Amino acid sequence: MSHTGVTTTTTTTSTSDGGFCNIGYARSFQGLLKIGQVVILLIAFLCVHCEQRWTSYSAFRYFEVVTAWFLIIFLFFFLMYVMRLQSKITCINWTLTEFLHYAVGGILVFIASIVAAVKSHGISALVAGSVFGFTATFLIAISIWTSYKVTCGSQPTGAAV
């Protein structure tokens, strides 16, 4: 006597629509850009912070404060999007807030990098810190551009045809 059996398989798929974390954001262009900004700002901060031969104390303290502040802010924005907090706190226009932070951050990091480059006097760690500061400024400019495209977008320009 032969017996026949029926085998059933169950497949479970998960989407990034629900749940606490949006891990897919970390792999998106915006997520990778924010990770790059945080890493570059951390390296710039550490280059200047670990160097003991400062020639201009106030200039490099300014560089440290600016890079540390925007490092924390950009990390906050990254974690906010990964944890989907922007959808839970709807009283704030997060796109505009992020755009303004990037605009102010880009200007301040650029100024701090110029000051650090001028006051470095050939000390390699300080020069490296200013180069990473300029790199962070470039990444911030890309974020400003992409945030501007989202914020202002394509506006209707005339009457409908």
Side-chain angles (χ1 to χ4, degrees), residues 113-129:
S113 299
I114 290 173
V115 170
V118 168
K119 301 285 187 173
S120 65
H121 298 293
I123 299 171
S124 60
L126 302 179
V127 172

Side-chain angles (χ1 to χ4, degrees), residues 95-96 99 144-157:
T95 308
L96 184 60
F99 174 75
I144 290 172
W145 177 252
T146 57
S147 181
Y148 174 78
K149 286 189 340 186
V150 169
T151 302
C152 297
S154 58
Q155 304 286 330
T157 57

Side-chain angles (χ1 to χ4, degrees), residues 48-49 51-57 60-61 64 123 126:
V48 172
H49 183 72
E51 179 57 48
Q52 300 299 318
R53 299 175 293 159
W54 288 356
T55 55
S56 177
Y57 184 79
F60 291 108
R61 280 293 174 207
E64 283 184 330
I123 299 171
L126 302 179

Side-chain angles (χ1 to χ4, degrees), residues 8-50:
T8 58
T9 54
T10 305
T11 326
T12 306
T13 59
S14 63
T15 61
S16 62
D17 295 337
F20 178 69
C21 289
N22 182 7
I23 302 301
Y25 178 77
R27 288 181 240 142
S28 69
F29 178 73
Q30 288 292 330
L32 291 173
L33 195 57
K34 282 182 183 57
I35 291 170
Q37 291 165 350
V38 168
V39 168
I40 295 295
L41 284 171
L42 178 65
I43 293 170
F45 173 80
L46 290 176
C47 284
V48 172
H49 183 72
C50 294

